[in-house]
């Protein structure tokens, strides 16, 4: 059985990654679109065989409640708009998958959770790495004890943000829409990975932030962030995020018995794993899987089986809370307990 999905926001990620990957879904099909640009929406509806009656704009979006073909709404809008559209979708009686970061404040995250609970609808946050085979394999190896006790995690996520060249980067350098800079956009992958790899919640964070004051891209949002997390077991994570270093998305877990490298850890289609032990190094090959399809199908199955998704709203709220603590720690120049 396939549940019907509506995609809200037909930008770069929606059109280049999400919509084409419904083809590999077993339990999810694209049946509706929501966009502020009618021509674009019409063209995409035709391409994906979507009925024109199932194309909405931001004004008439609420009437999606009368469309029984739509079970789940996938919010792929600029970060600060996630809350409004999640709440409106829940009030329209739809389940919600929402992109990361869940929202730009803890308060908004809580409102989203409340709205979905009140409506009796599922809320999941799109942490695709938690549905990706290499990451799942790493988690399983750590759980089995292959690495021994975990001492450190390092995780780095950076790329050049190019608001003058890439339309999708325009809102990313605007605080009101993005909520923050590299941390909110990609540092969140390092933060989330440190949590799902250790299986723990941090108790204390420290951070430093630096943005070139003469770079016009960083008038409103931050560029470079270095942060540390301390976990109850004593494991530490040292993470960086940047909008101005050459593209990196990697993580390394340092255990007593072995280290495990994922480079990249959060790519769309390609991953690598390396493990170093006392008797040498190995590079396990794992079958790459379609993480987008796996993620969407997990949401559909959670709805069909009435189960809480693996990455619910509460998971998104935790990261937003830790990111706020990272900003606070950097501002105060002191560690912050969380
Ligand atoms: P994008 O700018 O390409 O898409 C955003 C869409 O929102 C556009 O179609 C735009 O027209 C629409 N929009 C509606 N109101 C807007 C407004 N007031 N200002 C600007 N745009 C408005 O951006 P994107 O890269 O597709 O990112 C969208 C969301 O997806 C973000 O939350 C981002 O963090 C997330 N994302 C996630 C991943 C991932 O791997 N999980 C990757 C990329 C983006």
């Amino acid at each position: 059985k396939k549940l019907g999905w509506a995609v809200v926001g037909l930008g770069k990620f929606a059109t280049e990654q999400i919509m084409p990957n419904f083809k590999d879904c077993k339990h999810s099909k694209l049946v509706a679109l929501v966009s502020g640009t009618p021509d674009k929406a019409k063209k995409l509806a035709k391409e994906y065989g979507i009925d024109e009656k199932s194309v909405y704009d931001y004004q008439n979006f609420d009437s999606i409640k009368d469309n029984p073909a739509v079970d789940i709404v996938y919010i792929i809008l600029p970060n600060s708009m996630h809350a409004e559209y999640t709440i409106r979708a829940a009030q329209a009686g739809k389940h919600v998958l929402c992109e990361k970061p869940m929202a730009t404040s803890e308060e908004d995250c809580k409102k989203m959770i409340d709205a979905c609970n009140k409506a009796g609808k599922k809320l999941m946050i799109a942490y695709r790495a938690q549905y990706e085979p290499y990451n799942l394999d790493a988690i399983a190896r750590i759980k089995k004890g292959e690495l021994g006790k975990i001492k450190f995690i390092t995780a780095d996520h950076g790329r050049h943000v190019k608001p003058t060249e890439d339309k999708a980067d325009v809102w990313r350098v605007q605080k009101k829409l993005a909520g923050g800079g590299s941390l909110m956009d990609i540092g969140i992958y390092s933060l989330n990975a440190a949590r799902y790899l250790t299986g723990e919640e941090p108790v204390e964070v420290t951070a430093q932030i630096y943005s070139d004051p003469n770079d016009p891209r960083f008038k409103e949002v931050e560029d470079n962030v270095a942060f540390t997390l301390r976990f109850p077991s004593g494991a530490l994570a040292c993470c960086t995020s940047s909008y101005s270093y050459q593209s990196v998305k990697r993580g390394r877990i340092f255990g007593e018995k072995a280290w495990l490298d994922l480079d990249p850890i959060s790519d769309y289609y390609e991953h690598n794993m390396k493990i170093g032990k006392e008797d040498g190094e190995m590079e396990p090959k794992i079958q790459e899987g379609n993480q987008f399809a796996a993620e969407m199908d997990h949401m559909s199955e959670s709805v069909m089986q009435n189960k809480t998704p693996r990455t619910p709203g509460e998971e998104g709220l935790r990261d937003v809370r830790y990111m706020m603590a990272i900003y606070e720690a950097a501002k105060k120049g002191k560690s912050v307990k969380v």
Side-chain angles (χ1 to χ4, degrees), residues 8-15 17-18 34-37 40 58 74-82 85 98-101 126-129 159 166-172 174 177 184-185 188-189 266 268 291-292 295:
V8 185
L10 307 180
K12 189 175 176 180
F13 186 61
T15 57
Q17 310 305 333
I18 295 307
V34 185
S35 167
T37 319
K40 178 171 65 178
Y58 298 114
Y74 189 174
I75 314 291
I76 320 184
L77 290 165
N79 305 341
S80 69
M81 298 173 73
H82 293 176
Y85 284 88
C98 176
E99 263 309 322
K100 45 55 64 177
Y127 285 113
R128 59 181 170 78
R159 69 174 184 91
D166 189 342
K167 209 170 147 239
D169 279 349
V170 173
W171 63 265
R172 281 182 165 84
Q174 298 172 13
L177 285 164
M184 280 259 167
D185 190 36
I188 190 170
Y189 288 105
S266 59
Y268 290 156
Q291 61 188 311
F292 305 106
E295 173 182 68

Side-chain angles (χ1 to χ4, degrees), residues 1-296:
K1 192 188 168 201
K2 287 189 178 184
L3 295 189
W5 285 61
V7 164
V8 185
L10 307 180
K12 189 175 176 180
F13 186 61
T15 57
E16 292 179 12
Q17 310 305 333
I18 295 307
M19 291 164 60
N21 279 309
F22 273 99
K23 72 175 189 317
D24 286 344
C25 288
K26 288 194 192 82
H27 305 294
S28 317
K29 63 172 189 281
L30 183 59
V31 299
L33 300 174
V34 185
S35 167
T37 319
D39 290 347
K40 178 171 65 178
K42 231 181 232 173
K43 189 170 161 267
L44 285 164
K46 205 166 166 203
E47 197 182 320
Y48 282 89
I50 293 164
D51 189 341
E52 269 195 40
K53 283 197 231 75
S54 294
V55 176
Y56 299 85
D57 59 31
Y58 298 114
Q59 283 71 42
N60 69 16
F61 170 60
D62 309 273
S63 65
I64 205 163
K65 70 172 186 300
D66 302 320
N67 189 340
V70 176
D71 302 291
I72 297 165
V73 169
Y74 189 174
I75 314 291
I76 320 184
L77 290 165
N79 305 341
S80 69
M81 298 173 73
H82 293 176
E84 180 191 336
Y85 284 88
T86 294
I87 293 166
R88 283 170 69 181
Q91 287 172 348
K94 306 300 177 188
H95 304 278
V96 180
L97 176 62
C98 176
E99 263 309 322
K100 45 55 64 177
M102 179 174 177
T104 52
S105 70
E106 283 182 60
E107 197 192 341
D108 274 356
C109 294
K110 287 179 191 157
K111 284 186 192 157
M112 293 158 79
I113 293 170
D114 286 349
C116 291
N117 281 342
K118 207 170 150 200
K121 299 292 153 188
K122 306 279 177 220
L123 172 59
M124 171 169 146
I125 308 305
Y127 285 113
R128 59 181 170 78
Q130 295 199 44
Y131 302 89
E132 187 285 314
Y134 273 83
N135 279 275
L136 293 174
D137 188 77
I139 294 168
R141 287 174 191 270
I142 293 166
K143 270 204 185 127
K144 270 197 320 220
E146 191 176 326
L147 275 56
K149 190 170 158 57
I150 302 305
K151 300 292 180 161
F152 264 100
I153 306 255
T154 61
D156 306 287
H157 281 85
R159 69 174 184 91
H160 289 289
V161 76
K162 294 176 178 168
T164 53
E165 290 170 38
D166 189 342
K167 209 170 147 239
D169 279 349
V170 173
W171 63 265
R172 281 182 165 84
V173 296
Q174 298 172 13
K175 173 104 199 237
K176 199 165 164 271
L177 285 164
S182 72
L183 177 64
M184 280 259 167
D185 190 36
I186 47 182
I188 190 170
Y189 288 105
S190 299
L191 168 63
N192 198 252
R195 294 179 45 241
Y196 63 72
L197 291 168
T198 55
E200 293 186 82
E201 297 302 328
V203 287
E204 189 176 7
V205 311
T206 69
Q208 293 205 54
I209 293 181
Y210 179 77
S211 314
D212 179 350
N214 299 315
D215 190 325
R217 295 175 296 173
F218 308 119
K219 289 261 178 289
E220 296 185 20
V221 301
E222 80 283 354
D223 180 14
N224 300 308
V225 185
F227 62 94
T228 69
L229 310 166
R230 184 170 63 80
F231 292 96
S233 66
L236 298 174
C238 300
C239 306
T240 68
S241 71
S242 174
Y243 266 164
S244 66
Y245 65 56
Q246 176 51 35
S247 181
V248 168
K249 22 188 146 168
R250 70 171 186 204
R252 182 176 273 207
I253 309 110
F254 300 79
E256 225 169 357
K257 292 197 286 195
W259 52 259
L260 186 154
D261 223 12
L262 286 168
D263 188 5
I265 188 172
S266 59
D267 192 61
Y268 290 156
Y269 299 103
E270 195 191 318
H271 298 81
N272 290 300
M273 183 184 284
K274 211 170 182 181
I275 297 175
K277 296 187 181 169
E278 188 148 13
D279 56 1
E281 293 181 10
M282 60 174 198
E283 286 186 51
K285 291 279 171 251
I286 294 146
Q287 176 80 45
E288 291 281 357
N290 186 330
Q291 61 188 311
F292 305 106
E295 173 182 68
M296 291 190 280

